[in-house]
Amino acid sequence: MKQIERIERMEQNLERATDALRVLNDALDEYEVAQDALHELDTYYGSDTWKQDFSDDEQGRLPNTLKRGVLSEDAIWNVLEDYRALKERLDMLNASQS
């Protein structure tokens, strides 16, 4: 590889790495903030409170205008599974770097 080609390639690598690290850092900041929300969802899902809220929704006791994604049987489960899969992926990445 000639000098100019090498420098151009390394410049591309630098730009790609810089962009990827910035995006990842921003995403990790959001992920860190979401930890409390995820924990609270995990505690709520399957609790007696969730079951009562679900039952009240099924019986039409809640306003029609109320967003109720948390009362679907899959929404919280799916996000918690995604969370667990992401934690596992991060753990595997950390282990491979050791």
Side-chain angles (χ1 to χ4, degrees):
M1 181 179 299
K2 295 185 180 183
Q3 184 181 33
I4 299 298
E5 292 170 343
R6 181 179 56 250
I7 293 169
E8 288 173 340
R9 180 181 170 115
M10 292 304 118
E11 187 65 25
Q12 289 173 351
N13 288 344
L14 176 63
E15 289 174 6
R16 181 178 298 134
T18 299
D19 290 345
L21 290 172
R22 181 188 47 76
V23 168
L24 182 57
N25 252 326
D26 291 347
L28 286 173
D29 288 345
E30 289 295 319
Y31 176 75
E32 188 174 4
V33 170
Q35 296 297 301
D36 289 339
L38 287 161
H39 177 70
E40 193 170 351
L41 281 171
D42 192 28
T43 301
Y44 175 64
Y45 185 61
S47 69
D48 290 340
T49 303
W50 182 88
K51 291 173 187 171
Q52 183 63 54
D53 293 345
F54 180 82
S55 176
D56 287 348
D57 185 42
E58 293 250 309
Q59 294 175 24
R61 294 182 183 149
L62 300 176
N64 289 336
T65 57
L66 179 67
K67 287 183 74 172
R68 54 178 46 77
V70 295
L71 300 179
S72 74
E73 297 199 47
D74 295 329
I76 295 177
W77 187 87
N78 287 342
V79 79
L80 292 174
E81 282 303 305
D82 289 346
Y83 173 58
R84 288 180 185 100
L86 179 59
K87 281 177 41 176
E88 185 176 302
R89 183 177 177 192
L90 290 171
D91 289 345
M92 288 173 52
L93 284 171
N94 285 333
S96 71
Q97 299 300 315
S98 299

